[in-house]
Amino acid sequence: MKTALIQQANCSDIQKNINKLKINILDCVKKGAELIILQELHNNLYFCQTENVKNFDLAEEINGFSTQFFGKLAKENSVVIVISIFEKRAVGLYHNTAVVLEKDGSIAGIYRKMHIPDDPAFYEKFYFTQGDSGFEPIKTSVGNLGVMVCWDQWYPEAARLMALAGAEMLIYPTAIGWDIADTPAEQQRQKEAWIAVQRGHAVANHLPVIACNRTGWEQNPTNENDGIKFWGHSFIFGSQGEILAQADENEQNIIVEIDTKRTEDLRRIFPFFRDRRIDAYSDILKRWNN
Amino acid sequence: MKTALIQQANCSDIQKNINKLKINILDCVKKGAELIILQELHNNLYFCQTENVKNFDLAEEINGFSTQFFGKLAKENSVVIVISIFEKRAVGLYHNTAVVLEKDGSIAGIYRKMHIPDDPAFYEKFYFTQGDSGFEPIKTSVGNLGVMVCWDQWYPEAARLMALAGAEMLIYPTAIGWDIADTPAEQQRQKEAWIAVQRGHAVANHLPVIACNRTGWEQNPTNENDGIKFWGHSFIFGSQGEILAQADENEQNIIVEIDTKRTEDLRRIFPFFRDRRIDAYSDILKRWNN
């Protein structure tokens, strides 16, 4: 099954970002993609660099502009698309939500980001309520998609829960980048850690893992720091953690063949799920051991 | 803190294996090691290649030969040593057990392997009862050691539980190798997956990870297959998943400086433990979601 991701740099002009996404989606379709993943909050600049109530104007309902626009593209091209929106769920209640659009343009399912980060220039706890939809794969015509979002990618619990719930691949729309003040060595370690932890999820669960990251530098609106340099390097690992594709820092569309059938072969000879000590895991539900 | 691991090939002569371990331990001490990790079941050939009741004669009690022999070395050289024994706990009750020996030669604690594998040529479920000691770090003069054993290394739950219980590093004595019948490409994927999943534990928990593997080819006693080629490649990752040392397939002692203080720096800027969704993890205690 040909799977694509679109790694893009964004500007302040939403229409330009969307036009570019459309061109890239059509490029992926032309190359045979049946599933296309967009990066986190792909319509906009990453507005969480600062806490500003005006940014709530960017939010939309699930059945809003993005679902209609990309749903039309999904239908016209008979392709499944994973989009990422700033969701207005109710007055004063917002989420960071992935929406999966089926080949007929309908909504196959949604996922509300469960783990919400908050650190300098990534003030997401101001904007997004943590999800309450749990870790449920979304059933589609191309398989059960374990869609999560960004910060979720650091949590082995989240990957495992998606696997236990029948996910056939793990998918992470992401917007992660460097504080330019960090040393190049520290930047490299952060990027490598980000890749490594998700590769670990592939191996531990015998599932393909797809991470679609933003790229390009975005200025800090308040100039409190030097902005974020989103590091790109989107990737696709196979179900044994083998690298199938890896982007660099440039904008690019990646299209590769993913073989979800390999999961069963691997689980037969490395039967991790047979031997899980569920009788001994209960402390995972604790904040800490004291 | 200087930490060492001894990657060794074994033969059928237990005394020879132990003499070699002693020489290597003294070498590590001379180079400044304060903590030395031995591979899984380091006194013997890997006897689990076949199911044979006579092999239970190899088992010993916690306070048996190995603890005395290596405890004496620990005391004489004022070093903490992690050993791995085939434990006879009671008549007809055996474990695959790691014993941590303090600098004064006393037993700091034990860990009974919690996840027991069983696949062709690794018939461990015949020999070892799964541990009931849980995932408790062992307090020593060189820190809280999250000692686990081999198959445990594939389980993110185990690593997380050790972290939540206050482990300052994760340590895996191991005996893993290739079925020679596999293609070189498959062998490489397996080895890379083994490294990747443990590197993931380092990143997800911000803890150094040390894996000490066996090396060398060992014949199958019943010739049911071509034996096991233990793949060596022992490694030490730092708490950001950065590689500190990596062996090849040769016998070797690795001694590197480990900085456990870096864990706190990392957890401040990547506060994974702040944001764990313990309210949403309960299905981890299920075998599967149905």
Side-chain angles (χ1 to χ4, degrees):
Chain A
M1 204 260 297
K2 278 206 173 168
T3 302
L5 63 84
I6 296 171
Q7 173 175 302
Q8 190 167 302
N10 276 5
C11 66
S12 59
D13 184 334
I14 294 178
Q15 196 55 52
K16 273 195 185 164
N17 297 328
I18 291 169
N19 288 346
K20 191 156 67 167
L21 284 167
K22 182 177 174 177
I23 291 167
N24 285 324
I25 287 170
L26 294 177
D27 173 66
C28 294
V29 166
K30 206 168 66 182
K31 290 172 180 157
E34 289 185 71
L35 168 64
I36 300 174
I37 292 123
L38 308 190
Q39 70 199 28
E40 186 182 15
L41 302 168
H42 44 72
N43 290 1
N44 311 106
L45 289 174
Y46 181 71
F47 54 85
C48 312
Q49 283 206 60
T50 185
E51 299 193 1
N52 184 340
V53 290
K54 284 193 182 156
N55 284 336
F56 288 108
D57 289 339
L58 297 168
E60 58 180 321
E61 294 180 10
I62 296 278
N63 285 300
F65 165 77
S66 293
T67 297
Q68 286 158 26
F69 179 83
F70 293 104
K72 187 162 171 283
L73 276 173
K75 186 177 180 179
E76 285 170 359
N77 296 284
S78 192
V79 63
V80 174
I81 306 179
V82 179
I83 68 172
S84 165
I85 69 170
F86 182 15
E87 182 199 351
K88 181 175 185 175
R89 187 174 178 182
V91 173
L93 184 62
Y94 304 86
H95 291 284
N96 185 328
T97 303
V99 180
V100 179
L101 302 164
E102 214 3 305
K103 289 179 177 175
D104 63 2
S106 65
I107 294 172
I110 68 162
Y111 169 83
R112 294 184 171 122
K113 187 171 181 174
M114 291 288 285
H115 299 94
I116 307 294
D118 197 285
D119 51 272
F122 293 84
Y123 299 112
E124 296 200 16
K125 287 193 195 293
F126 176 70
Y127 292 105
F128 310 125
T129 293
Q130 59 184 20
D132 54 355
S133 52
F135 302 94
E136 282 294 322
I138 295 170
K139 279 196 185 13
T140 74
S141 58
V142 295
N144 290 336
L145 309 185
V147 177
M148 291 171 280
V149 179
C150 202
W151 193 234
D152 293 322
Q153 66 208 172
W154 300 95
Y155 292 84
E157 294 92 339
R160 182 67 102 202
L161 285 162
M162 280 292 187
L164 291 172
E168 292 171 291
M169 62 185 80
L170 304 177
I171 295 171
Y172 299 97
T174 302
I176 191 167
W178 293 300
D179 179 344
I180 297 171
D182 278 328
T183 64
E186 171 61 19
Q187 292 182 353
Q188 287 313 301
R189 280 195 299 272
Q190 289 180 5
K191 188 192 78 187
E192 291 299 317
W194 172 76
I195 296 168
V197 74
Q198 294 174 84
R199 190 177 185 188
H201 304 332
V203 174
N205 298 290
H206 287 140
L207 292 177
V209 172
I210 302 151
C212 179
N213 192 23
R214 181 179 293 245
T215 194
W217 175 74
E218 295 186 16
Q219 186 174 9
N220 188 298
T222 63
N223 292 312
E224 72 172 79
N225 62 30
D226 295 329
I228 303 175
K229 190 161 185 300
F230 292 95
W231 67 49
H233 280 86
S234 302
F235 57 76
I236 301 182
F237 284 111
S239 46
Q240 202 170 7
E242 75 280 20
I243 186 80
L244 298 179
Q246 167 95 68
D248 55 22
E249 278 185 54
N250 295 312
E251 293 189 292
Q252 59 211 278
N253 303 335
I254 286 181
I255 302 121
V256 295
E257 188 76 30
I258 287 186
D259 178 10
T260 56
K261 293 206 181 68
R262 200 158 147 64
T263 296
E264 183 163 3
D265 297 338
L266 290 164
R267 288 185 183 170
R268 286 180 181 195
I269 192 64
F270 287 94
F272 305 148
F273 289 91
R274 180 192 64 191
D275 295 333
R276 292 178 69 242
R277 291 295 306 276
I278 53 174
D279 59 311
Y281 290 166
S282 59
D283 283 356
I284 281 187
L285 305 186
K286 291 186 182 167
R287 182 64 65 207
W288 195 254
N289 82 322
N290 59 31
Chain B
M1 205 259 298
K2 276 204 174 172
T3 302
L5 63 83
I6 296 171
Q7 173 174 301
Q8 189 167 299
N10 277 2
C11 66
S12 60
D13 184 333
I14 293 178
Q15 195 55 53
K16 274 195 186 164
N17 297 328
I18 291 170
N19 288 346
K20 192 157 66 169
L21 284 167
K22 182 178 175 177
I23 290 166
N24 285 324
I25 287 171
L26 295 177
D27 172 65
C28 294
V29 166
K30 206 168 64 183
K31 290 171 180 157
E34 289 186 71
L35 168 64
I36 301 174
I37 292 122
L38 308 189
Q39 69 200 28
E40 187 182 15
L41 302 168
H42 45 72
N43 290 0
N44 312 107
L45 288 173
Y46 181 72
F47 53 84
C48 311
Q49 281 206 60
T50 183
E51 299 193 0
N52 184 340
V53 290
K54 284 191 182 156
N55 284 336
F56 288 108
D57 289 339
L58 296 169
E60 57 180 322
E61 295 179 8
I62 296 279
N63 285 298
F65 164 77
S66 294
T67 296
Q68 286 157 27
F69 179 83
F70 293 103
K72 189 162 170 284
L73 275 173
K75 185 177 180 180
E76 286 170 358
N77 297 284
S78 191
V79 64
V80 174
I81 307 180
V82 179
I83 68 171
S84 165
I85 69 170
F86 181 14
E87 181 199 353
K88 182 175 185 175
R89 185 174 180 182
V91 173
L93 185 62
Y94 303 86
H95 291 284
N96 184 328
T97 302
V99 180
V100 179
L101 302 164
E102 217 359 305
K103 288 180 177 177
D104 63 2
S106 66
I107 294 172
I110 68 163
Y111 169 82
R112 293 182 171 123
K113 187 172 182 173
M114 290 288 286
H115 299 94
I116 307 294
D118 197 283
D119 51 272
F122 293 84
Y123 299 112
E124 295 200 18
K125 287 193 194 294
F126 176 71
Y127 292 106
F128 310 125
T129 293
Q130 60 185 18
D132 54 355
S133 51
F135 302 94
E136 282 294 323
I138 295 170
K139 278 196 183 15
T140 74
S141 58
V142 294
N144 290 337
L145 309 185
V147 177
M148 292 172 277
V149 179
C150 202
W151 194 233
D152 293 322
Q153 65 209 173
W154 299 95
Y155 292 85
E157 294 93 339
R160 182 66 103 201
L161 285 162
M162 280 293 187
L164 291 172
E168 292 171 293
M169 62 185 80
L170 304 177
I171 295 171
Y172 299 96
T174 302
I176 190 166
W178 292 301
D179 179 344
I180 298 171
D182 278 329
T183 64
E186 171 61 19
Q187 292 182 353
Q188 288 313 303
R189 280 195 300 271
Q190 289 180 6
K191 189 192 77 187
E192 291 298 317
W194 173 76
I195 295 168
V197 74
Q198 294 174 84
R199 190 177 185 188
H201 304 332
V203 174
N205 298 289
H206 287 142
L207 292 176
V209 172
I210 303 151
C212 179
N213 192 24
R214 181 178 292 246
T215 194
W217 177 74
E218 296 185 16
Q219 185 172 11
N220 188 298
T222 62
N223 292 313
E224 72 172 77
N225 62 30
D226 294 328
I228 302 174
K229 190 158 185 300
F230 293 96
W231 68 48
H233 281 86
S234 301
F235 56 77
I236 302 182
F237 284 111
S239 46
Q240 203 169 5
E242 75 279 22
I243 187 80
L244 298 179
Q246 167 93 70
D248 55 21
E249 277 186 53
N250 294 311
E251 292 187 294
Q252 58 210 280
N253 304 334
I254 285 181
I255 302 119
V256 295
E257 189 76 29
I258 288 186
D259 178 10
T260 56
K261 293 205 182 67
R262 202 160 146 62
T263 296
E264 184 163 2
D265 297 338
L266 290 163
R267 288 185 184 170
R268 286 181 181 195
I269 191 64
F270 288 94
F272 304 149
F273 290 92
R274 180 192 64 190
D275 295 333
R276 293 177 69 243
R277 292 295 306 275
I278 53 174
D279 59 310
Y281 291 167
S282 60
D283 282 356
I284 281 187
L285 306 185
K286 290 186 183 169
R287 182 64 66 206
W288 195 253
N289 82 322
N290 59 30

